[in-house]
């Protein structure tokens, strides 16, 4: 259960939920628990998203809602781990690329270096790294101060960092991203 769901359920009586503003207009208006779940599900969860849970539970709304809540709990359990992994990956790649470029400010200087390589002009997301670093720079500049390497580093998302393992970026930085895994088996 998310906090808004708990607060909504706690605000109403256990069996019948009334809404004072609606009750004045429609004196006999009430919702049973199932109807309340339907309203909350439809309000906070798109029908397309909830449909996959319904299909998994043979269109049983209660079981689908329970499966959704279980999925939320599982996602909440993994979120801190993913956040920590992102920071560790980011810092390890930064250390490795500082060495590779022999430049502690490589995120600033490489915007016109490897991030502008012609091989990055094609594909689904041309000049992705350059565009993302410039976006971060512009955002930091709005705070009326010049961006530092560390500011740009911290502003990048997980997608930015994993893109260094994409073949084109990986080759352009000399295969250095894999060096952040010192205990990786040599056969891989």
């Amino acid at each position: 259960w998310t906090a808004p769901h708990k607060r909504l359920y706690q605000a109403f009586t256990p069996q019948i939920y009334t809404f004072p503003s609606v009750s004045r207009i429609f004196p006999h208006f009430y919702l049973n628990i199932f109807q309340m779940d339907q309203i909350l599900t439809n309000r906070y969860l798109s029908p397309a998203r909830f449909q996959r849970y319904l299909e998994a539970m043979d269109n049983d709304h209660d079981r689908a809602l329970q499966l959704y809540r279980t999925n939320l709990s599982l996602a909440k359990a993994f979120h801190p781990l993913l956040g920590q992994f992102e920071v560790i990956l980011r810092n390890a790649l930064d250390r490795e690329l500082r060495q590779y470029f022999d430049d502690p400010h490589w995120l600033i200087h490489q915007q016109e270096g490897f991030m502008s390589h012609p091989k990055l002009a094609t594909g689904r997301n041309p000049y992705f790294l350059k565009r993302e670093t410039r976006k971060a720079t512009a955002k930091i500049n709005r705070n009326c101060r010049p961006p530092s390497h560390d500011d740009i580093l911290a502003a990048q998302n997980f997608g930015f960092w994993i893109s260094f393992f994409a073949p084109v970026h990986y080759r352009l930085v000399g295969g250095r991203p894999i060096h952040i895994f010192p205990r990786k088996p040599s056969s891989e």
Side-chain angles (χ1 to χ4, degrees):
W1 282 80
T2 61
H5 285 97
K6 284 182 183 175
R7 284 193 298 273
L8 281 170
Y9 273 101
Q10 290 168 352
F12 302 105
T13 60
Q15 294 299 314
I16 296 178
Y17 303 106
T18 60
F19 296 88
S21 59
V22 176
S23 296
R24 276 185 243 121
I25 301 167
F26 303 103
H28 302 292
F29 183 79
Y30 67 91
L31 298 172
N32 63 32
I33 292 171
F34 177 77
Q35 290 168 320
M36 188 63 169
D37 266 351
Q38 289 282 149
I39 289 171
L40 292 174
T41 301
N42 293 337
R43 178 166 173 109
Y44 295 109
L45 194 60
S46 72
R49 172 110 171 112
F50 193 64
Q51 185 60 38
R52 66 178 75 167
Y53 294 95
L54 282 170
E55 288 169 5
M57 295 292 132
D58 297 324
N59 287 321
D60 182 325
H61 183 272
D62 292 337
R63 288 180 55 221
L65 196 55
Q66 184 58 43
L67 179 61
Y68 175 73
R69 289 179 186 137
T70 302
N71 188 41
L72 276 179
S73 296
L74 186 60
K76 281 194 271 186
F78 274 103
H79 193 267
L81 294 172
L82 289 173
Q84 289 173 359
F85 176 73
E86 180 179 354
V87 170
I88 292 167
L89 179 73
R90 175 192 76 194
N91 292 340
L93 281 169
D94 180 49
R95 276 191 304 276
E96 190 64 39
L97 294 173
R98 282 177 190 232
Q99 287 179 343
Y100 176 73
F101 292 116
D102 193 24
D103 181 1
H105 307 289
W106 68 272
L107 276 170
I108 295 169
H109 301 139
Q110 288 301 316
Q111 290 178 38
E112 299 309 321
F114 96 93
M115 291 183 198
S116 295
H117 194 283
K119 287 184 178 181
L120 300 175
T122 59
R124 278 186 337 144
N125 215 342
Y127 297 113
F128 171 72
L129 296 174
K130 181 178 182 175
R131 213 175 45 252
E132 291 302 306
T133 53
R134 289 201 168 154
K135 218 187 301 183
T137 300
K139 186 176 180 180
I140 296 162
N141 278 335
R142 278 184 250 145
N143 294 331
C144 301
R145 62 185 179 89
S148 71
H149 174 86
D150 290 336
D151 291 333
I152 297 169
L153 180 77
Q156 301 308 324
N157 64 26
F158 192 57
F160 179 87
W161 299 109
I162 63 170
S163 71
F164 280 95
F165 294 93
V168 67
H169 294 127
Y170 187 82
R171 283 191 290 274
L172 287 174
V173 293
R176 292 301 288 254
I178 203 67
H179 293 233
I180 69 171
F181 301 106
R183 291 184 177 87
K184 181 191 83 53
S186 59
S187 63
E188 293 179 16

